[in-house]
Amino acid sequence: MDMALPIVNATATVLARVSAAFNAPLARAVVFGVHIDGHLVVEGLLIAVIVFQLTRKSYKPPKKPLTEKEIDELCDDWKPEPLCPPIKEGARIDTPMLESAAGPHTIVDGKEVVNFASANYLGLIGNEKIIDSCVGSLEKYGVGSCGPRGFYGTIDVHLDCEAKIAKFLGTPDSILYSYGISTIFSVIPAFCKKGDIIVADEGVHWAVQNGLHLSRSTVVYFKHNDMASLASTLEKLTRGNKRAEKIRRYIVVESIYQNSGQIAPLDEIVRLKEKYRFRVILEESHSFGVLGKSGRGLAEHYGVPIEKIDIITAGMGNALATDGGFCTGSVRVVDHQRLSSSGYVFSASLPPYLASAAVSAVNYLEENPSVLSNLRSNIALLHKELSDTPGLEISSHVLSPIVFLKLKKSTGSPTTDLDLLETIAERVLKEDSVFIVTSKKSNLDRCKLPIGIRLFVSVGHTESDISALSKSLKGVSASVLSDYF
Amino acid sequence: MYPGVWTTYILILFFSWILVLSVFGCAPGTAWTLVNLGHFAITYHFFHWKKGTPFADDQGMYNTLTWWEQMDNGKQLTRNRKFLTAVPVVLYLIASHTTDYQHPMLFLNTIAVTVLVVAKLPNMHKVRIFGINAGS
């Protein structure tokens, strides 16, 4: 009713005006019986112009070819852009090259160094039994499998490996992928589609981020490893939201975060998942074969029954010292991926010798569970020795085999931080023959966690290795970071 | 080409006049002036200022052409162009008549219509006065 009144008033006013105009007495100059006002001239002119234009025919403007002079001018002006942009000043591309196997001791630039840069947690690189099984497999099957799993690329060692892993973990079935990181970024889009909700930790590594991006779902990040933040995010997403009941909801976490060394508190996550009815996708690349009494991963470590976790993925390039990855869960989970997972269907299958290496590695782990306690004591020793490093502090979990050192006081810009850490790593390598790496991130990585030095502890490291590393690090960081305490 | 575009255009102008009247509660002449000036701003920006296309795969062929110049493939004085040239003039006539040719509004309306009509003349095809808006 409020809107109607002004409209009624307006139309009444217009009508009154129009009738007034018709009834107004003629008060101006009269030429041939028509009174002239200034505005009539302008209007008349406009109408004349418009009517003239409206009566013209349409035409295409003539195409004038460029004259020789214009062509020359344009060619001189043109500056081609380079096909690939020049590399910026600070980006160092000379990474050290390994000249032998990436075991606890390796050869870099002709010198033997202690290697803390390879995720060889169980020391299986160069293990006799594994090499023997690889050689046997190579002699029997050759190198490649020459086909995807669905098109004559399935070999019995693949099925053996899948059965072995499933039996080891206690799940009904598992599925193998041919490249470590493509596991997680094929599994996530196989289950999460456009319109679903994913709650992910903000510190997940690039492969997980890629999977989240490929899934086209709505992704909400929660604060890194902060269960209160996770709980409030889940609450916010589900409270009062009837639509949330009907769409699929997932939580994506890593067991040991590659970007920080933290361990996800699985018991808390499972409790939240059951309260808010989400599904959990757990990325276990760095905890499979490391955590738990017998190396069965995060679920064993926390005593959570394995059936409560919906999807577990892991790359086998770390503890198992082979390549490829696997995903396990219930029968439906694994079965769905055999037709719907891009990395499984559209890539050639895992080379058979790598699958038999994985089987031997899991056998080794089953027969020698004591390697885990050796690994834990190595990690504890490293923590103790590095606890008083000048300028650096350990920010990873005490049980994590990735020991993450970050700057105690950041310089404020990530590039200068990276420069400092790279300088430390270079000097440690050159002066003391210890090979360490920083956590360089690619340009596509959107993780905002601080960078640092990542040390991968292996069972093969001796006490002297660890003390050599700590002595060297303390010395070098004291001199490099002397302005930054 | 698409049925109803002209009618929709006219109806949008009429309904925006009603909207302005109901929101501001002003005299109808002021409302027509506001509609005229708003129409001027919007159509000038989109027809005669913005250049190029939103599609990336035409390799920048149209990067120096405004949307008015791209219309109907550069053909001048087609039916569309004639209609769109007539609309500002009709708006001007309505606006100046309903404000009874009073001064601040008449001046603004006249500027609006002059700029728009001149910009749409076929002689101004690909012409950039004083190099304004000549970049790609």
Side-chain angles (χ1 to χ4, degrees), chain A residues 25-45:
Chain A
L26 306 171
R28 293 299 192 88
V30 176
V31 173
F32 297 113
V34 179
H35 61 282
I36 304 280
D37 277 333
H39 64 90
L40 267 186
V41 176
V42 176
E43 283 172 15
L45 199 63

Side-chain angles (χ1 to χ4, degrees), chain A residues 134-154:
Chain A
C134 280
V135 169
S137 211
L138 269 177
E139 287 177 352
K140 184 171 175 192
Y141 302 107
V143 178
S145 59
C146 300
R149 286 291 293 266
F151 192 68
Y152 302 111
T154 301

Side-chain angles (χ1 to χ4, degrees), chain A residues 149-395:
Chain A
R149 286 291 293 266
F151 192 68
Y152 302 111
T154 301
I155 304 179
D156 53 358
V157 280
H158 293 136
L159 304 174
D160 288 341
C161 185
E162 288 177 354
K164 180 88 204 165
I165 290 179
K167 198 157 82 81
F168 180 65
L169 280 178
T171 53
D173 202 359
S174 72
I175 176 174
L176 272 186
Y177 284 82
S178 31
Y179 181 41
I181 56 175
S182 71
T183 316
I184 187 62
F185 65 65
S186 303
V187 164
I188 294 183
F191 291 99
C192 313
K193 308 290 183 187
K194 189 173 162 76
D196 297 344
I197 294 184
I198 303 184
V199 176
D201 188 299
E202 64 179 6
V204 286
H205 63 274
W206 174 79
V208 181
Q209 293 171 27
N210 198 14
L212 296 173
H213 172 69
L214 287 172
S215 71
R216 309 276 183 252
S217 316
T218 321
V219 181
V220 181
Y221 289 99
F222 65 93
K223 281 214 231 1
H224 179 55
N225 220 17
D226 183 353
M227 290 300 111
S229 167
L230 174 61
S232 72
T233 314
L234 294 176
E235 175 73 36
K236 244 195 320 217
L237 283 173
T238 50
R239 183 200 6 225
N241 191 352
K242 297 302 295 192
R243 218 178 62 87
E245 304 282 313
K246 300 198 189 69
I247 53 183
R248 292 182 284 257
R249 311 176 284 284
Y250 298 89
I251 300 177
V252 171
V253 284
E254 284 179 55
S255 55
I256 297 185
Y257 290 93
Q258 198 176 314
N259 286 328
S260 70
Q262 299 288 330
I263 296 187
L266 190 64
D267 48 355
E268 185 64 25
I269 293 179
V270 166
R271 191 184 66 82
L272 285 172
K273 141 195 145 122
E274 291 186 331
K275 176 171 170 200
Y276 292 100
R277 307 221 307 265
F278 274 58
R279 293 186 172 107
V280 166
I281 301 181
L282 182 64
E283 221 280 284
E284 285 222 59
S285 294
H286 292 276
S287 70
F288 181 73
V290 170
L291 288 182
K293 219 162 46 197
S294 51
R296 287 181 165 82
L298 195 64
E300 191 187 24
H301 176 76
Y302 274 101
V304 171
I306 195 89
E307 300 81 38
K308 293 216 174 180
I309 309 176
D310 304 280
I311 304 174
I312 300 178
T313 67
M316 301 195 287
N318 303 313
L320 294 186
T322 168
D323 197 7
F326 66 85
C327 174
T328 155
S330 68
V331 173
R332 306 276 293 272
V333 161
V334 170
D335 226 20
H336 172 75
Q337 291 173 58
R338 301 230 184 250
L339 284 180
S340 306
S341 169
S342 335
Y344 181 82
V345 171
F346 297 114
S347 302
S349 56
L350 188 62
Y353 70 95
L354 290 177
S356 39
V359 171
S360 321
V362 175
N363 281 337
Y364 174 87
L365 186 54
E366 276 185 328
E367 291 161 12
N368 306 312
S370 54
V371 289
L372 297 167
S373 46
N374 290 347
L375 179 61
R376 273 194 278 274
S377 54
N378 273 356
I379 301 174
L381 181 59
L382 192 61
H383 269 257
K384 200 168 68 114
E385 300 244 355
L386 287 179
S387 52
D388 53 349
T389 315
L392 296 171
E393 60 179 357
I394 301 184
S395 67

Side-chain angles (χ1 to χ4, degrees), chain A residues 427-469:
Chain A
R427 284 185 54 178
V428 163
L429 178 61
K430 241 197 280 292
E431 297 170 10
D432 298 306
S433 301
V434 176
F435 184 30
I436 59 176
V437 280
T438 60
S439 63
K440 280 195 283 281
K441 294 214 191 96
S442 88
N443 286 337
L444 303 168
D445 196 333
R446 290 173 47 220
C447 171
K448 306 238 183 0
L449 297 184
I451 44 175
I453 293 183
R454 253 202 295 240
L455 302 169
F456 296 92
V457 182
S458 157
V459 158
H461 286 131
T462 58
E463 282 201 25
S464 56
D465 291 335
I466 296 183
S467 28
L469 165 68

Side-chain angles (χ1 to χ4, degrees), chain B residues 16-81:
Chain B
S16 55
W17 174 66
I18 293 192
L19 195 68
V20 168
L21 264 185
S22 50
V23 165
F24 293 114
C26 51
T30 325
W32 275 118
T33 310
L34 286 174
V35 168
N36 191 14
L37 294 178
H39 174 257
F40 165 52
I42 295 177
T43 51
Y44 187 77
H45 178 76
F46 281 114
F47 280 150
H48 303 285
W49 190 267
K50 275 192 78 68
K51 299 201 291 258
T53 56
F55 309 112
D57 46 343
D58 60 1
Q59 290 166 4
M61 263 203 305
Y62 303 108
N63 269 353
T64 53
L65 292 178
T66 63
W67 289 8
W68 179 259
E69 289 159 0
Q70 293 174 35
M71 203 189 293
D72 286 328
N73 244 322
K75 205 152 165 240
Q76 298 300 316
L77 295 174
T78 60
R79 292 190 66 212
N80 269 329
R81 287 180 184 238

